[in-house]
Amino acid sequence: RRFKDITADPASEPRNFCAPTVSANDRKKVDEFLELVSWHAMSQKKLSFYSNLLFVSDQTLNAVTQKVLGKRPKQLIDEHLLESAKTLLKYSRQAIQEIAMLLGFSSSTQFAAFFKRCEKKSPSEFRWEGDPIITEPGTVERSMTGATHGER
C-alpha cells in the first residue's frame, strides 16, 4: 500500500502515548461521583464527603475526574450548584436569601460572592437581566423590551 493509504486508515494512525488512557473503571467512578453530586451538592460541598462514599482518596478522585473530564471535582460541584442557582433565580419566586439557604450556603452574602465569582454578576443582576419571567407577586416589572409582567 502507498503511504497515503496507510495514514488514511485510523487503525494505523500513530497513538499519542503521552495522553492518559481512560479506563472503564475511571469512567464508572466519575459517573458515580456525578450522581452523588446531583443528589448531595446542596448539602455537601466538601470533596472528602464524596471520596469517602466512593472509597477513594481525595487525590484519587481528583486525578480520575481530571483524566476523564479535564476538571477538578470542586469545579464539578460548583458547576452543579451554579446551574441550580441559575434555574432557581430565573424560574422561582424565592428570595435570594431563600435560594442561598436551599443551596446550602450559610448566608446570602456567601451565596452572592460565589455567584459573582462564577458569573461576574450578582444574583439580582442575573435574575432581572433581559426579559424577566418571574416577578414578585402583585408587582409590575418592565423588561428591557418594555413589556409588562405581573399586572393585577
Side-chain angles (χ1 to χ4, degrees):
R1 296 184 340 180
R2 295 189 334 240
F3 180 76
K4 182 178 178 186
D5 295 335
I6 292 172
T7 58
D9 180 13
S12 67
E13 296 221 1
R15 289 182 49 199
N16 181 354
F17 291 101
C18 296
T21 56
V22 178
S23 70
N25 191 40
D26 289 344
R27 281 195 177 94
K28 183 176 186 259
K29 194 63 73 178
V30 169
D31 288 343
E32 290 170 349
F33 169 69
L34 293 173
E35 180 74 18
L36 289 170
V37 168
S38 72
W39 282 99
H40 300 285
M42 292 182 191
S43 62
Q44 298 292 333
K45 295 174 186 60
K46 294 202 182 276
L47 181 58
S48 59
F49 171 81
Y50 299 99
S51 58
N52 287 336
L53 287 176
L54 294 169
F55 303 105
V56 297
S57 68
D58 291 358
Q59 295 82 3
T60 299
L61 185 56
N62 190 29
V64 170
T65 59
Q66 284 274 21
K67 185 170 27 170
V68 174
L69 299 175
K71 296 180 180 183
R72 297 183 321 275
K74 180 68 174 132
Q75 285 176 282
L76 297 167
I77 294 167
D78 286 352
E79 285 174 5
H80 180 81
L81 286 170
L82 182 63
E83 287 306 310
S84 297
K86 288 163 80 172
T87 299
L88 289 167
L89 287 166
K90 280 290 185 189
Y91 301 107
S92 81
R93 292 178 185 240
Q94 292 175 302
I96 291 172
Q97 185 173 4
E98 291 174 310
I99 293 171
M101 295 300 139
L102 182 67
L103 294 175
F105 291 91
S106 59
S107 70
S108 57
T109 305
Q110 184 189 30
F111 169 65
F114 164 80
F115 195 89
K116 191 157 191 157
R117 177 175 47 88
C118 296
E119 281 296 300
K120 310 295 185 246
K121 60 185 82 167
S122 73
S124 299
E125 291 169 330
F126 177 83
R127 174 174 264 177
W128 301 114
E129 73 183 5
D131 191 13
I133 295 168
I134 302 295
T135 61
E136 296 301 319
T139 62
V140 176
E141 294 289 333
R142 295 206 177 271
S143 70
M144 295 174 93
T145 61
T148 59
H149 299 277
E151 289 185 300
R152 298 218 176 226

